Amino acid sequence: MSGAVALNDRVAKCGGCGAELVFAVGSSRLKVCEYCRYVSVRTPQGVEGLGAVAEVVPTGARLSQGLRGVYEGVGFRLAGRTQLQWAQGVWDEWYAAFDDGRWGWIAEAQGRYYVSFRVIPRQVPPLAAMRPGRVVWLHGLGRYVVTDHRVATYVSASGELPESFPIDGSQVHLVDLSGQDGAFATLDFGDGSEEAPTIFNGREVKLEALRIESGSFPTARPAAKSRELTCSRCSAPLQLFNPAEAQRVTCTHCGSLLDATEEPLRFLEKLRTPKLRWPLGSEATFEGVTYRVAGWMERDCNVYGETYSWQEYLLYAPKDASYRYLLMSDDHWSFVTPLAAGDVESGYDGATWRGQTFRRFSRVQARVRQVWGEFPWAVAKGETVQAIDYIAPPEGLSEERSATEINWSHARYLTPQEVWAAFGGKGTPRQPSGVAPLQPNPWAKSAKAMVWTSMVACAVAVLMFTVFIARAGGRMVLNQQVTYAAGKMLGGDETLDLPSSVADPNQSVSVAFSEPFTIEQGRRNLRVEIDSNVDNGWVWVSGALVEEATGEVRPFGLESSYYSGRDADGEWWEINTRARTYLSSVPAGSWVLRTEAVWPRKQRAPQVTLKLTSGVVRVTHFFFVVFLLLLGPAFFFIRSGMFEQARWEQSSESE
Amino acid sequence: MRLLYTAFAIAVLLGYGAVGFNGYELGGGEKKELPQNARQASGGWRSFHFWHVGYMGGK
């Protein structure tokens, strides 16, 4: 291993080419020769050579060696860089030497930046238990969620580095943890046999938070691959949106899906050209950020034997190399943003994010049915993940879990009009069909708004009812028992015979007049009640209230009947001897009640009790008013419930 | 929609108030008037004839 020669503490000779190596940073242990890529390591015994590393892979990283910045008030310089490769590509780790003597790593991947520092070892579960989604408590650091377990190899390095790394291509096991508010940790289990991993802890930051000094910093992302890319099947030129991170790309000329991590691009399979609502390259602006449609895929799942499919447009933001998704199902749209797993707390029934609770909606195996375009991961037809959706319309959370990683995302429902406007407003949006999981319930808001109004209205109705009770009086103005006599007119000073010619031969008729009685309070209703002693028969009473002074007449008619008997089932009764009616707003005055009773001739003359009560409180009126007042909210609540029922019918949690 | 419902609720309450304060009844509001001659004539409106073939027009 020996080869490099130490000249003094900071200067050595490269063991590969003899060039002078300067360890500019005190904490640096390794130095990669800029001429021959030979790696020299400082040890207490001197400088040793480890061997040569490969050229740095162009990744389109915005950071570069030598850049200075300020993080949390402390200046730093990027003194070196390592590159690691895993199944989904290559990422950069920048060695940041801080002015206060500390050193840390700044990882750059898919437009995201992670600053981390090595911390003292802590008790953690073994590597085998680090399943995606598992919650890990790091003593003194808080709650973290395992997001992925990566098996990577160091492929290259440059500049100075703070610690040694395996340059022989051996694998290292890295477990990423996501904490709250952008916190993250990486557990380096080495070759997988180490029980106590090296722990790096830090947080995800915006590039701006690194306060990279101006001047040498590129304002635009540098091209990762300057070469011309062509399809390996048809030789058509390929235009990549994000060449630095593209893993899969489709040749739109011949429909070939190609592996973009290899050169020449390796043919994977022939794809069917889909009909896209928004073609690749279409520009759209969401939340003030301009995106380009980089890819598209169709996925499906099966819920209780029924297949549901949806489309996902992969949106790429050139400004910060970030990705978003635009989902479409039955012309319902939602905008999806990746989330840090540590920011979400999930349980069996729901999940919480930023204080908002989401209810679990579905747990399915989501399968990729079709793909088209460019993807920063090795997408493949037929690949499946376990997808769990949580909803709080118009927002939702989604957890996608595979054997090696877990990804959370936040979705927000968009109207077709919003989507069309984002794409420039060309064409006419298609109307969505059915109810989408994240679709806002159009009835719920109105229903809730009406509840308060109806409660106030019902309270007013109760108040009015109370006033009516106090005001009504309920005074009985006549209570008279009349024994009718067939063919006779009763009342007054004498009993007269009725003319026989007007009577039905099968019926008996009798008329009775009451003594005059007084209704003292006008603008009150009048309840008329009758009760009779008829037995297996009936009596019809035609009545008329007559006010002698004004001549006003208030007619009414009531029937009283009673039947009983015995049949095969035993005894039976039909009792309707009591009957009542209400007369509207009877004026005050002196009244006479004329009644004319008709009953079957074969039946004995009935005895009828007549009761008149002025100012009766009508409970039925009150309940009818309450019913009317609740009709509106009830209608909206029912419609709201039907809407929710339609929503949850699609849920895997509904049965 | 809330405004519409509020207007509806106010109308219902006004209607309820009118019914409650005036003693109105649905279907119980038929009114007739005795003709002047029937009120003044001897026997007049108390006669059986008056209610069946006279002004009231019979059953």
Side-chain angles (χ1 to χ4, degrees):
Chain A
M1 293 291 279
S2 182
V5 178
L7 301 178
N8 58 44
D9 282 353
R10 295 291 181 93
V11 183
K13 268 192 175 179
C14 173
C17 65
E20 187 177 82
L21 301 175
V22 177
F23 288 85
V25 181
S27 56
S28 298
R29 287 193 64 213
L30 272 72
K31 173 83 180 184
V32 180
C33 176
E34 60 187 298
Y35 303 106
C36 67
R37 313 212 54 73
Y38 193 80
V39 181
S40 300
V41 57
R42 284 200 294 187
T43 68
Q45 291 74 35
V47 178
E48 294 179 356
L50 291 182
V53 291
E55 285 284 343
V56 169
V57 178
T59 58
R62 294 192 72 181
L63 300 179
S64 61
Q65 195 175 316
L67 281 182
R68 288 195 63 84
V70 178
Y71 177 67
E72 293 183 340
V74 182
F76 67 85
R77 188 174 73 87
L78 299 182
R81 164 197 209 178
T82 61
Q83 288 188 318
L84 294 97
Q85 182 165 32
W86 69 307
Q88 297 288 336
V90 175
W91 82 93
D92 294 288
E93 296 271 3
W94 297 94
Y95 166 39
F98 284 79
D99 295 346
D100 60 3
R102 291 182 303 154
W103 61 269
W105 292 103
I106 300 177
E108 182 177 7
Q110 294 193 355
R112 294 180 177 188
Y113 298 86
Y114 306 85
V115 180
S116 66
F117 300 91
R118 186 171 180 166
V119 295
I120 57 172
R122 284 162 168 79
Q123 185 74 32
V124 295
L127 178 62
M130 291 293 185
R131 298 179 309 277
R134 171 171 183 152
V135 174
V136 175
W137 287 90
L138 295 180
H139 182 68
L141 299 176
R143 175 186 178 275
Y144 286 81
V145 177
V146 177
T147 55
D148 60 61
H149 170 197
R150 289 189 264 187
V151 180
T153 55
Y154 286 89
V155 292
S156 182
S158 66
E160 298 178 36
L161 295 168
E163 51 193 356
S164 186
F165 64 90
I167 63 171
D168 58 354
S170 58
Q171 293 179 328
V172 291
H173 290 259
L174 304 171
V175 174
D176 283 342
L177 310 177
S178 172
Q180 288 185 318
D181 301 323
F184 91 99
T186 297
L187 310 182
D188 184 346
F189 282 89
D191 61 4
S193 62
E194 295 176 25
E195 290 184 1
T198 307
I199 303 176
F200 297 89
N201 178 242
R203 62 182 52 254
E204 180 182 351
V205 297
K206 299 273 187 193
L207 181 58
E208 297 74 33
L210 297 176
R211 293 168 57 188
I212 303 294
E213 64 183 21
S214 58
S216 58
F217 190 64
T219 53
R221 287 172 58 76
K225 299 169 186 173
S226 55
R227 69 199 182 282
E228 285 288 320
L229 290 174
T230 55
C231 174
S232 55
R233 293 280 282 188
C234 70
S235 300
L238 299 175
Q239 184 72 42
L240 269 60
F241 299 101
N242 184 8
E245 287 158 9
Q247 299 270 316
R248 295 289 181 269
V249 63
T250 306
C251 173
T252 54
H253 296 87
C254 67
S256 297
L257 180 66
L258 305 165
D259 183 347
T261 64
E262 296 182 18
E263 285 189 57
L265 305 184
R266 184 164 60 92
F267 171 80
L268 296 171
E269 64 178 312
K270 183 89 165 64
L271 300 176
R272 187 163 53 89
T273 306
K275 191 174 179 182
L276 304 187
R277 168 70 57 191
W278 309 112
L280 300 181
S282 299
E283 277 197 1
T285 303
F286 292 99
E287 299 171 348
V289 178
T290 300
Y291 297 90
R292 281 185 167 179
V293 175
W296 171 92
M297 63 180 169
E298 185 180 40
R299 301 169 85 188
D300 64 20
C301 67
N302 191 288
V303 178
Y304 298 116
E306 190 160 346
T307 299
Y308 293 89
S309 69
W310 66 96
Q311 298 178 23
E312 296 186 10
Y313 289 86
L314 178 65
L315 304 177
Y316 172 67
K319 183 182 174 186
D320 59 2
S322 63
Y323 288 93
R324 299 290 185 273
Y325 302 86
L326 188 63
L327 268 59
M328 191 273 279
S329 177
D330 294 330
D331 291 297
H332 291 281
W333 299 84
S334 55
F335 184 71
V336 178
T337 306
L339 289 183
D343 286 335
V344 184
E345 285 191 39
S346 63
Y348 182 79
D349 292 331
T352 307
W353 176 68
R354 288 187 179 173
Q356 189 178 2
T357 301
F358 296 74
R359 193 175 160 195
R360 187 156 123 170
F361 185 79
S362 62
R363 176 181 174 146
V364 298
Q365 288 291 320
R367 181 178 67 105
V368 176
R369 197 150 77 177
Q370 272 197 91
V371 295
W372 193 257
E374 178 187 321
F375 295 86
W377 72 93
V379 67
K381 277 169 64 180
E383 77 176 13
T384 60
V385 292
Q386 184 189 69
I388 305 178
D389 287 339
Y390 303 85
I391 65 167
E395 296 178 55
L397 299 178
S398 183
E399 175 198 316
E400 293 195 359
R401 186 184 297 211
S402 68
T404 56
E405 64 176 340
I406 185 171
N407 289 301
W408 280 89
S409 56
H410 171 265
R412 182 171 60 84
Y413 184 83
L414 297 175
T415 63
Q417 290 72 22
E418 287 177 297
V419 176
W420 257 249
F423 277 93
K426 292 171 190 169
T428 308
R430 284 178 56 178
Q431 284 306 306
S433 60
V435 176
L438 300 185
Q439 187 178 1
N441 187 331
W443 305 97
K445 195 177 172 186
S446 296
K448 283 178 186 168
M450 282 185 186
V451 165
W452 290 106
T453 311
S454 66
M455 284 174 70
V456 170
C458 286
V460 172
V462 169
L463 192 66
M464 293 170 77
F465 182 60
T466 310
V467 171
F468 295 157
I469 289 173
R471 178 179 177 272
R475 179 174 297 179
M476 188 173 287
V477 293
L478 180 70
N479 186 354
Q480 185 180 24
Q481 196 170 64
V482 180
T483 304
Y484 290 97
K488 300 294 184 185
M489 182 183 289
L490 313 172
D493 298 331
E494 53 188 344
T495 299
L496 301 173
D497 290 331
L498 296 175
S500 58
S501 59
V502 296
D504 185 312
N506 297 317
Q507 294 176 349
S508 299
V509 181
S510 178
V511 173
F513 288 90
S514 72
E515 292 297 319
F517 58 91
T518 304
I519 294 177
E520 293 176 348
Q521 292 179 312
R523 298 169 69 185
R524 303 284 196 280
N525 63 357
L526 186 77
R527 183 173 66 202
V528 180
E529 297 171 282
I530 65 167
D531 193 3
S532 78
N533 65 347
V534 292
D535 186 2
N536 273 318
W538 56 270
V539 58
W540 171 261
V541 178
S542 298
L545 274 172
V546 181
E547 212 290 329
E548 290 183 288
T550 62
E552 183 172 337
V553 179
R554 306 299 293 270
F556 64 89
L558 290 170
E559 182 179 345
S560 173
S561 66
Y562 176 89
Y563 296 97
S564 66
R566 176 181 285 276
D567 60 15
D569 296 327
E571 286 188 317
W572 58 269
W573 298 268
E574 282 183 12
I575 304 171
N576 293 301
T577 54
R578 291 181 179 179
R580 68 169 56 168
T581 187
Y582 291 86
L583 302 183
S584 181
S585 194
V586 177
S590 178
W591 297 80
V592 171
L593 174 63
R594 176 191 184 273
T595 55
E596 182 176 323
V598 178
W599 64 94
R601 185 172 289 276
K602 60 184 179 183
Q603 185 180 305
R604 70 185 169 92
Q607 188 180 64
V608 177
T609 301
L610 299 160
K611 290 180 183 174
L612 303 185
T613 308
S614 173
V616 178
V617 176
R618 298 301 305 277
V619 180
T620 50
H621 287 183
F622 169 72
F623 282 118
F624 182 62
V625 165
V626 171
F627 169 75
L628 286 178
L629 292 175
L630 295 180
L631 211 54
F635 172 77
F636 279 87
F637 268 107
I638 289 170
R639 292 304 302 263
S640 173
M642 290 168 66
F643 188 90
E644 290 303 321
Q645 189 180 12
R647 186 201 305 279
W648 285 91
E649 274 174 0
Q650 307 161 58
S651 165
S652 63
E653 310 295 291
S654 62
E655 290 181 25
Chain B
M1 195 54 73
R2 186 181 184 180
L3 207 62
L4 201 66
Y5 172 72
T6 304
F8 170 75
I10 290 171
V12 168
L13 290 172
L14 287 175
Y16 182 49
V19 167
F21 277 102
N22 292 297
Y24 290 140
E25 294 287 341
L26 292 171
E30 189 185 358
K31 274 186 197 175
K32 292 185 176 179
E33 196 170 337
L34 296 176
Q36 197 68 23
N37 56 355
R39 288 160 59 191
Q40 292 173 348
S42 175
W45 62 272
R46 285 177 173 262
S47 72
F48 188 83
H49 176 81
F50 171 79
W51 294 96
H52 288 272
V53 295
Y55 167 75
M56 292 300 172
K59 286 184 184 178

